[in-house]
DNA sequence: ATGCGGACCTGTTAGC
DNA sequence: TGCTAACAGGTCCGCA
């Protein structure tokens, strides 16, 4: 479900509601997520306040005085804040209850998400330590991307979706960014010119920013922490439009599999291969 | 080191 | 209508 914009939308929605709140209870209904949820999680976090909610890539980091919760929504996860008790739904796996009565509930049908606790610097955690730069920060630059792509014989789409290259660019926004930059998804990364890197970095930043502003993309069931959908779907140019005409030149958009992911592009607009 | 494929899951949809 | 296969927004791991 969530790419970086969706995770950021969740982070922004969550923050005002639970920042500064004390964790009064932890409920684990299903511990079999991507990694097992520690049954003794409450020993570590009960009574602690949420000092900050930040994001690294698609990982949400809940900073406590002692330690950090690392929360990933996987492909189908969602976090909702409830102001009053509601019957738990199917796949409501974990919840935190706060001093003010608010409930933070994690639902994840596919269980690709995870919830981990660490007392060390979370950025040095093995899941986070090898991540590339944040796309919206300055260190994700044309120069960086150009350097990083030298001698990389991988399809460009695979390259920009690799979290070691840059975090947060998932299947939707990779397709959209490549279309916006008029770059062929199958082009070898090493063939990128510096000018192409400049354009690509620019469009990735612009598209992610715009999607965040729109509240993310709701394809099917993405909702933010208030349960509201995102509105970026109306803006999608290629994702999910295989076989339909390109909005720019009317050519039929091509859809094929690339590294097991559906990949859509315009064979006319995205020429350089 | 790099590139590729498989694995982890459930729910929904397309196709016969 | 009903069964089966394919597919879905992510990413880690292991093999060549």
């Amino acid at each position: 479900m969530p790419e970086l914009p969706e995770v950021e939308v969740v982070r922004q929605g969550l923050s005002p509601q639970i920042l500064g709140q004390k964790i009064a209870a932890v409920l684990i209904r299903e511990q079999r997520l991507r990694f097992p949820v520690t049954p003794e999680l409450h020993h570590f976090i009960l009574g602690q306040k949420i000092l900050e909610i930040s994001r690294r890539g698609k990982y949400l980091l809940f900073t406590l005085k002692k330690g950090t919760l690392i929360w990933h929504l996987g492909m189908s996860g969602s976090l909702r804040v409830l102001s009053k008790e509601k019957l738990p739904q199917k796949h409501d796996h974990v919840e935190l209850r706060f001093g003010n009565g608010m409930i933070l509930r994690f639902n994840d049908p596919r269980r690709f998400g995870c919830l981990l606790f660490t007392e060390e610097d979370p950025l040095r955690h093995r899941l986070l330590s090898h991540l590339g730069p944040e796309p919206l920060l300055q260190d994700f630059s044309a120069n960086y991307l150009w350097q990083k792509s030298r001698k990389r014989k991988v399809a460009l789409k695979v390259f920009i979706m690799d979290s070691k290259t840059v975090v947060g660019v998932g299947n939707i926004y990779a397709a959209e960014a490549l279309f916006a930059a008029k770059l062929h998804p199958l082009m070898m990364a090493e063939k990128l010119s510096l000018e192409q890197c400049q354009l690509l970095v620019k469009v990735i930043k612009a598209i992610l920013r715009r999607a965040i502003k729109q509240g993310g993309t709701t394809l099917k069931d993405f909702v933010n922490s208030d349960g509201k959908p995102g509105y970026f779907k109306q803006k999608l140019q290629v994702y999910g439009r295989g076989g339909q005409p390109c909005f720019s030149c009317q050519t039929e958009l091509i859809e094929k599999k690339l590294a097991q992911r559906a990949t859509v592009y315009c064979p006319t607009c995205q020429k350089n291969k």
Side-chain angles (χ1 to χ4, degrees), chain A residues 36 42 56 65 91 109 138 145 156 161 182 186 216 223 225 228 242 251 254 271:
Chain A
H42 58 277
R56 179 72 178 101
K65 189 165 181 194
H91 307 303
Q138 300 230 327
L145 194 68
L156 184 52
M161 286 180 69
K182 299 189 190 301
L186 294 176
V223 286
S225 55
K228 301 231 178 68
T251 306
I254 307 275
K271 273 236 179 291

Side-chain angles (χ1 to χ4, degrees), chain A residues 186-257:
Chain A
L186 294 176
M187 162 189 185
M188 286 293 114
E190 64 177 359
K191 301 277 190 191
L192 281 172
S193 69
L194 184 56
E195 291 70 32
Q196 290 173 324
C197 286
Q198 275 162 357
L199 180 57
L200 185 52
V201 165
K202 200 174 127 184
V203 303
I204 288 175
K205 288 176 190 278
I207 287 178
L208 294 179
R209 282 210 191 91
R210 206 150 61 90
I212 292 170
K213 266 196 196 147
Q214 300 280 323
T217 298
T218 294
L219 289 182
K220 190 169 160 288
D221 53 10
F222 168 72
V223 286
N224 66 13
S225 55
D226 301 324
K228 301 231 178 68
Y231 296 97
F232 194 71
K233 185 176 178 186
Q234 287 93 316
K235 315 256 177 184
L236 295 177
Q237 302 293 302
V238 286
Y239 182 87
R241 298 196 59 246
Q244 295 173 233
C246 172
F247 287 136
S248 173
C249 73
Q250 316 310 318
T251 306
E252 190 173 308
L253 297 176
I254 307 275
E255 175 155 354
K256 56 172 69 167
K257 284 262 178 227

Side-chain angles (χ1 to χ4, degrees), chain A residues 41-206:
Chain A
L41 186 60
H42 58 277
H43 286 156
F44 299 106
I45 68 173
L46 227 52
Q48 294 214 58
K49 279 184 186 167
I50 311 281
L51 301 182
E52 192 190 1
I53 306 176
S54 56
R55 180 185 58 69
R56 179 72 178 101
K58 297 171 194 163
Y59 291 92
L60 285 168
L61 305 177
F62 291 65
T63 308
L64 312 176
K65 189 165 181 194
K66 184 117 185 68
T68 307
L69 286 169
I70 302 175
W71 218 325
H72 197 291
L73 305 182
M75 202 105 128
S76 59
S78 60
L79 278 170
R80 298 279 298 276
V81 176
L82 308 176
S83 52
K84 57 182 175 206
E85 176 86 56
K86 264 175 53 182
L87 276 185
Q89 307 289 302
K90 200 172 181 185
H91 307 303
D92 278 347
H93 303 314
V94 181
E95 70 187 50
L96 301 184
R97 294 173 173 234
F98 298 100
N100 65 351
M102 293 285 200
I103 299 174
L104 178 62
R105 204 166 261 185
F106 177 62
N107 181 286
D108 185 7
R110 291 177 76 178
R111 292 191 277 120
F112 285 174
C114 66
L115 173 58
L116 303 166
F117 175 79
T118 179
E119 292 190 313
E120 287 155 32
D121 176 357
L123 300 182
R124 303 177 76 164
H125 189 277
R126 65 176 187 92
L127 293 179
L128 306 190
S129 62
H130 300 294
L131 295 179
E134 284 291 326
L136 296 177
L137 299 184
Q138 300 230 327
D139 44 349
F140 180 57
S141 65
N143 273 327
Y144 163 81
L145 194 68
W146 187 77
Q147 290 293 346
K148 191 85 178 168
S149 58
R150 295 310 83 190
K151 299 190 179 166
R152 290 300 305 275
K153 300 181 197 310
V154 218
L156 184 52
K157 175 158 174 277
V158 174
F159 179 66
I160 61 169
M161 286 180 69
D162 182 346
S163 62
K164 294 200 284 292
T165 303
V166 58
V167 295
V169 181
N171 204 32
I172 298 178
Y173 298 111
E176 295 299 310
L178 292 176
F179 176 77
K182 299 189 190 301
L183 294 170
H184 199 292
L186 294 176
M187 162 189 185
M188 286 293 114
E190 64 177 359
K191 301 277 190 191
L192 281 172
S193 69
L194 184 56
E195 291 70 32
Q196 290 173 324
C197 286
Q198 275 162 357
L199 180 57
L200 185 52
V201 165
K202 200 174 127 184
V203 303
I204 288 175
K205 288 176 190 278

